[in-house]
Amino acid sequence: MKRKIIIIGGGASGIACALRMKMRNPELDCLILEQNPRIGKKILKTGNGKCNISNLRMASEHYNQPDFIARCLESFSVNDLVEFFRRLGLLLRADAAERLYPHSEYANTVLEVLLQALSKYRIEVLCNQRVREIQQGDGFEILTEDSRFFSDVLVIATGSLAQEKTNGYELLGNLGHSLTPLEPGLVALATKENMSSLRGIRVKCRAKLLDRGKIIHEESGEILFKEKGLSGILALNLSRHARPGNIVSLDLFPDVDILRFLEEALAEKSMDEALLGILPKMLAHEVLKRNINHDLQAIHATLRGLTFEITGKFGYEFAQITLGGVRIEEINHDFSSKKNQDLYVIGEILDVDGGCGGYNLHFAWMSGILAADAIADRFEKNL
Ligand SMILES: Cc1cc2nc3c(=O)[nH]c(=O)nc-3n(C[C@H](O)[C@H](O)[C@H](O)COP(=O)(O)OP(=O)(O)OC[C@H]3O[C@@H](n4cnc5c(N)ncnc54)[C@H](O)[C@@H]3O)c2cc1C
């Protein structure tokens, strides 16, 4: 029996799903509907244009849904992903932190290989087709501005609000799914303190995120000071946990006995001079501004805990992901919906988010591939 499968959304998850389905069974009749004039637009933006595809240090703890992800990773590991891309002819390389990139270090290479494969497997892609309504009956009726499509199986891969517009959440709401609250994720944090003098400075440090004095998250990495907030990979990761009113406390010397170093330096120098030997100039000024009497113990405390009050986050237009989405309790481990066995939901529209380092793209590819495997299995069994 020939079954028609429609995938709404031509991003990482939707493209991976279509390709895997056709690699498993070229007989499957699969169509991608994309609202933009071209597919894979967001892939080109990823990893600062280099596309951090995944991470060899793959583990469920990097996600907000560790139990769900642990089961997915049992079925599809990072090595399986490397093999998937190898079969498509994409050579990868890992950096020192084991983040995976295309060997060319150009996101464009990833999209090029995906487009070649879509063409090779004769997967139909229709762009400028924004789905505005889905009706369920015997199968699905899918309405765009100017066309109407029918499918037996429907895959929703419409991504998130991060640097994109989508009505995918409403489409799934109308199909009976519910959402956890949505908010920008992996995004710069707005702070109460004016940081214009620190703008552009980067520091490697250990950050604690405090909620009414209690540590709610701790992580090491690099902070980039912005005029009105904190950015850099560390701040983006903190944004997955931060709420207005939280305090970010930066330990600028987590691995150095900085008190002893300063004591020795102060035998020869003034406090101003000593700080200029350990910090970028404007950051040294900030530390002094916060300790006008130049007391060594107080300065040491500031160096080990430079605090900023979070007032909010930057918006979706700056965010890499959206936190929240379709409730994971409503989705099976093969990404079929518990509401309708012919409906699959993949990628970032789900309430799954990971830290910086390739974890979100890994989830997008993985969810698309696992859904494709489940659909191909059903087809083989004629279900
Ligand atoms: C600037 C930036 C940098 C990033 N860098 C990285 C990185 O280096 N590593 C990493 O792991 N993650 C990164 N991410 C996150 C990653 O890109 C996403 O998690 C991933 O692309 C999600 O894949 P997806 O298929 O779920 O959604 P998307 O890739 O967003 O694809 C969804 C597609 O659906 C289409 N669509 C939406 N609604 C409709 C509709 N109604 N009808 C038809 N089509 C529709 C959209 O136009 C879009 O093409 C980054 C994100 C951004 C914004």
Side-chain angles (χ1 to χ4, degrees):
M1 185 180 62
K2 199 158 169 98
R3 291 170 71 87
K4 175 97 185 172
I5 300 130
I6 288 186
I7 299 173
I8 305 178
S13 63
I15 297 173
C17 184
L19 287 175
R20 177 68 155 218
M21 236 182 308
K22 287 292 226 184
M23 288 158 99
R24 284 277 312 266
N25 187 340
E27 294 292 303
L28 286 173
D29 182 6
C30 162
L31 162 70
I32 298 178
L33 297 177
E34 167 58 48
Q35 65 183 0
N36 287 329
R38 52 181 303 196
I39 60 171
K41 190 177 114 193
K42 199 178 275 183
I43 293 172
L44 295 178
K45 291 186 179 182
T46 58
N48 279 329
K50 294 200 304 186
C51 188
N52 181 191
I53 268 188
S54 180
N55 198 308
L56 293 175
R57 289 184 198 156
M58 186 51 59
S60 57
E61 76 215 26
H62 295 290
Y63 294 89
N64 67 328
Q65 305 282 359
D67 296 342
F68 185 87
I69 294 290
R71 279 197 57 186
C72 297
L73 290 173
E74 279 169 24
S75 311
F76 190 81
S77 70
V78 64
N79 292 333
D80 294 324
L81 185 70
V82 172
E83 183 53 32
F84 173 79
F85 280 118
R86 196 181 176 85
R87 264 189 79 188
L88 298 182
L90 182 69
L91 184 61
L92 301 179
R93 71 161 98 200
D95 70 2
E98 303 199 59
R99 292 177 291 225
L100 283 170
Y101 291 90
H103 195 273
S104 67
E105 297 195 331
Y106 279 95
N108 204 10
T109 309
V110 178
L111 187 55
E112 176 59 37
V113 166
L114 294 173
L115 292 173
Q116 283 174 15
L118 287 169
S119 159
K120 174 183 163 192
Y121 289 101
R122 296 180 196 285
I123 294 166
E124 197 182 351
V125 178
L126 293 180
C127 291
N128 294 313
Q129 292 291 341
R130 179 175 177 274
V131 173
R132 60 178 172 83
E133 198 181 327
I134 301 168
Q135 286 166 8
Q136 291 180 93
D138 184 17
F140 299 91
E141 184 178 351
I142 297 145
L143 304 171
T144 64
E145 299 308 329
D146 55 13
S147 303
R148 177 185 299 252
F149 302 87
F150 294 91
S151 76
D152 301 299
V153 173
L154 180 63
V155 182
I156 308 269
T158 45
S160 79
L161 298 168
Q163 303 192 24
E164 187 54 272
K165 287 195 168 61
T166 177
N167 60 348
Y169 298 106
E170 293 95 81
L171 293 174
L172 272 173
N174 292 339
L175 294 176
H177 277 283
S178 55
L179 303 177
T180 59
L182 305 177
E183 57 178 289
L186 296 184
V187 68
L189 296 167
T191 55
K192 192 171 157 193
E193 295 75 11
N194 182 341
M195 316 253 244
S196 46
S197 65
L198 299 179
R199 192 180 57 187
I201 293 177
R202 291 174 186 274
V203 284
K204 293 202 170 63
C205 57
R206 182 153 186 87
K208 287 192 186 94
L209 188 63
L210 302 150
D211 184 22
R212 282 163 285 177
K214 194 168 152 246
I215 299 173
I216 53 171
H217 186 75
E218 228 177 316
E219 195 170 324
S220 300
E222 189 175 77
I223 290 279
L224 166 64
F225 292 98
K226 286 170 76 82
E227 187 160 352
K228 290 183 179 142
L230 301 170
S231 188
I233 288 180
L234 180 52
L236 301 194
N237 278 340
L238 294 177
S239 75
R240 292 176 63 216
H241 313 275
R243 296 281 166 275
N246 288 170
I247 301 293
V248 174
S249 173
L250 304 181
D251 183 346
L252 303 175
F253 296 94
D255 310 316
V256 180
D257 185 349
I258 198 63
L259 183 58
R260 187 149 164 229
F261 186 91
L262 278 180
E263 280 167 349
E264 286 174 15
L266 288 171
E268 308 274 336
K269 301 175 176 208
S270 68
M271 183 61 89
D272 311 39
E273 290 168 336
L275 288 181
L276 290 176
I278 61 171
L279 289 173
K281 193 171 186 175
M282 298 316 288
L283 194 51
H285 287 175
E286 175 70 22
V287 171
L288 286 172
K289 203 170 83 189
R290 293 185 183 206
N291 296 281
I292 40 174
N293 57 6
H294 292 198
D295 174 67
L296 175 62
Q297 293 302 332
I299 284 188
H300 177 246
T302 303
L303 295 173
R304 302 298 308 272
L306 183 66
T307 55
F308 300 93
E309 186 179 332
I310 308 296
T311 52
K313 296 180 190 182
F314 284 57
Y316 285 113
E317 65 274 36
F318 303 102
Q320 292 198 3
I321 59 167
T322 296
L323 304 182
V326 173
R327 285 184 192 281
I328 209 68
E329 301 79 23
E330 299 176 358
I331 303 294
N332 294 307
H333 284 92
D334 63 0
F335 294 92
S336 59
S337 156
K338 290 183 182 170
K339 310 269 176 194
N340 182 335
Q341 60 163 3
D342 294 325
L343 177 66
Y344 289 75
V345 187
I346 57 176
E348 215 187 295
I349 190 170
L350 291 166
D351 175 21
V352 174
D353 61 88
C356 286
Y359 297 105
N360 291 296
L361 272 176
H362 184 91
F363 178 70
W365 314 119
M366 174 172 75
S367 57
I369 287 169
L370 289 176
D373 284 346
I375 295 168
D377 285 348
R378 284 176 60 177
F379 180 80
E380 273 161 28
K381 293 177 194 147
N382 239 337
L383 293 175

